[in-house]
């Protein structure tokens, strides 16, 4: 497998007038294209901070974030300007959140269409691409509904469709099963497995050991530091 991400000595400090918090300290991590990585650790240890940096919606205080695209070109996202980062996110990333984050007054179809924002022309046409994404997560029959008319599991599947509609290389998921019951959580994990088998690299924060066990590697964080990174035998 080829390299996708190399984090070199990533540190993230939060400063206010009175206090300084070290959310991440000297994290170095290498992720190859096609991996499925689970990030685990206690509340407040820095998991979301790490995922937000990986998603370029937050920037490290110091350190390098090297990203290698499918052509082999490598860039340091820690030093990239905002305009280029927005383009990077649109081309390469898909986000899934614990609380779904669908837009209330847009239909499911329109919510998924948002995943194509800033992507310009889409191979195969927008409608076909959106319908294919809905089919992948079994939500096509709810296209004209609004988020509040769907169950939690359906909303999360719609949010996954929004994340994948632009065919991202990298899917970042912050506790994607955290608000779901066992059965819906299992469905979401099944979808993530299928996406990973289709070639997407997945980085998922989870508090569930059984869900982490379904990843190809587990990364453990404690007090902002990487304490273990273990490949799993599946
Ligand atoms: N905007 C912020 N300003 C100041 N401190 C912050 C900010 N965001 C996070 N922190 C601090 O950084 C540390 C890591 O927070 P983070 O949200 O990454 O934890 P987490 O591992 O995702 O926790 P959880 O499992 O509860 O979601 C915590 O001590 C938190 O208080
Ligand atoms: Mg968190």
């Amino acid at each position: 497998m080829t390299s996708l991400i190399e984090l070199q000595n990533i540190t993230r400090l939060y400063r206010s007038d009175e206090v300084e918090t070290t959310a991440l300290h000297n994290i170095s991590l290498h992720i190859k294209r096609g991996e499925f990585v689970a990030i685990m650790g206690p509340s407040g240890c820095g998991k979301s901070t790490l995922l937000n940096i990986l998603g370029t919606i937050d920037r490290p205080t110091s350190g390098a974030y090297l990203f290698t695209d499918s052509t082999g070109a490598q860039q340091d996202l820690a030093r990239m300007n905002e305009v280029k980062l927005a383009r990077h996110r649109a081309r390469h990333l898909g986000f899934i959140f614990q609380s779904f984050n669908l837009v209330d007054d847009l239909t499911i179809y329109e919510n998924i269409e948002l995943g194509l924002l800033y992507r310009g022309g889409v191979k195969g046409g927008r409608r076909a691409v959106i319908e294919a994404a809905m089919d992948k997560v079994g939500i096509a029959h709810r296209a004209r509904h609004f988020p509040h008319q769907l169950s939690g599991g359906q909303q999360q599947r719609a949010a996954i469709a929004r994340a994948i509609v632009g065919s991202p290389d990298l899917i970042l998921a912050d506790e994607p099963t955290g608000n779901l019951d066992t059965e819906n959580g299992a469905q979401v994990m099944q979808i993530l497995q299928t996406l990973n088998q289709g070639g997407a690299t997945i980085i998922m924060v989870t508090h569930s050991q059984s869900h982490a066990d379904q990843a190809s590697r587990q990364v453990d964080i404690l007090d902002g530091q990487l304490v273990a990174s273990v490949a799993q035998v599946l």
Side-chain angles (χ1 to χ4, degrees):
M1 287 193 280
T2 57
S3 175
L4 181 67
I5 286 169
E6 195 173 338
L7 298 182
Q8 297 174 336
N9 305 108
I10 293 285
T11 291
R12 177 65 167 104
L13 304 176
Y14 287 110
R15 290 192 191 97
S16 69
D17 290 343
E18 310 85 47
V19 283
E20 183 174 283
T21 309
T22 306
L24 295 175
H25 181 70
N26 245 356
I27 301 256
S28 292
L29 181 64
H30 191 183
I31 295 172
K32 295 195 181 83
R33 208 167 263 283
E35 279 198 271
F36 187 161
V37 177
I39 298 175
M40 292 197 84
S43 180
C45 73
K47 303 178 299 296
S48 294
T49 305
L50 178 60
L51 209 71
N52 291 343
I53 286 174
L54 287 165
T56 75
I57 48 187
D58 188 16
R59 220 184 258 278
T61 308
S62 61
Y65 174 5
L66 306 180
F67 187 96
T68 308
D69 71 20
S70 56
T71 70
Q74 193 179 62
Q75 282 183 298
D76 185 357
L77 303 184
R79 278 161 195 78
M80 189 177 269
N81 70 44
E82 288 301 327
V83 173
K84 283 189 174 172
L85 282 180
R87 196 180 312 148
H88 171 82
R89 286 192 289 270
R91 273 192 198 152
H92 296 290
L93 307 187
F95 294 94
I96 305 167
F97 304 95
Q98 177 174 4
S99 50
F100 324 137
N101 293 9
L102 296 168
V103 181
D104 292 338
D105 54 5
L106 296 181
T107 64
I108 293 306
Y109 181 94
E110 290 162 346
N111 264 282
I112 296 168
E113 193 170 24
L114 282 183
L116 293 175
L117 212 62
Y118 311 120
R119 269 192 79 93
V122 175
K123 219 169 128 192
R126 295 176 87 81
R127 177 168 292 274
V129 167
I130 293 165
E131 281 169 359
M134 289 194 296
D135 282 338
K136 268 191 191 159
V137 300
I139 205 75
H141 62 303
R142 292 288 182 265
R144 304 283 156 221
H145 286 66
F146 290 90
H148 73 269
Q149 298 173 312
L150 270 57
S151 72
Q154 289 172 331
Q155 289 186 52
Q156 189 61 306
R157 284 187 278 127
I160 294 175
R162 179 186 55 192
I164 64 171
V165 69
S167 303
D169 306 290
L170 175 60
I171 296 169
L172 298 165
D174 196 348
E175 301 191 43
T177 62
N179 283 358
L180 301 178
D181 59 36
T182 309
E183 192 181 321
N184 280 298
Q187 267 190 30
V188 162
M189 287 307 300
Q190 184 55 54
I191 292 168
L192 293 178
Q193 290 284 3
T194 306
L195 292 168
N196 180 239
Q197 282 151 15
T201 306
I202 300 182
I203 306 176
M204 172 186 73
V205 170
T206 182
H207 284 288
S208 160
Q209 185 61 58
S210 68
H211 291 171
D213 288 343
Q214 295 177 49
S216 52
R217 177 152 61 117
Q218 182 175 322
V219 168
D220 291 325
I221 309 280
L222 195 60
D223 291 338
Q225 304 195 51
L226 201 153
V227 288
S229 173
V230 181
Q232 327 215 64
V233 182
L234 292 176

